[in-house]
Structure formats: structure tokens, C-alpha cells
Amino acid sequence: MRFDGYWVDLQSDRATIKRASFDETELDPATQWKEAWQNSDASVTSRGFVDTERALMCAAHHVARLQGLLPDSINFSSLKLSSLNWTEGVCEVFTLSDLAR
């Protein structure tokens, strides 16, 4: 069985969100089958999410830290995946305002 979701790659200056599809062998039972990790390379900073909200929160926490903001300053209800500029299933997030347009 396949599940639609997103890879969120945390980079030194941004978060990149990529549309993805997971099968049950990639999802972690400890997260109730909602998250995945790249296990092949420990230096990879990508996390997989079936849940859109969790993907947005991951990206938001990362870019907030890059901006010197505390996670509790994030208005999660304003985050929208549809507000992002997607190019071939990938978008880059540099600031919290990218997620709240």
C-alpha cells in the first residue's frame, strides 16, 4: 500500500519540501505510521511525513530557528502548504512568511 506525503529536507539556509509517496516499510510504527526517516546515511537531514500538518510544522520549526525565532512564536494556524511556490513537486522555504502567504 502507498501513502502520499512529503520529504522535508532541513538545510543550512532553508527547508525543502518534496512531494513523495511512501510504502508501509518506510514508515515508523512508533509514529503510528505517519513519519519516515532516511536510514541509509546518518548525515541526511530529511524526514518524511504522511501528515501535511506535521510536514509544515517541521519546516516551520527549522526556518524559525534560522531566523532566530522561538518555536512558540509560530502561528501554526496560518501555515498553508497551498501558499508555497511548487516547481515539479518541490518547494523551498526560507522564512516563516513563505509558509503563511
Side-chain angles (χ1 to χ4, degrees), residues 71-96:
D72 62 352
S73 67
I74 302 170
N75 178 3
F76 288 106
S77 65
S78 70
L79 304 180
K80 297 179 182 92
L81 201 62
S82 62
S83 69
L84 297 170
N85 294 321
W86 292 90
T87 304
E88 296 182 20
V90 178
C91 67
E92 294 180 325
V93 181
F94 291 93
T95 67
L96 286 177

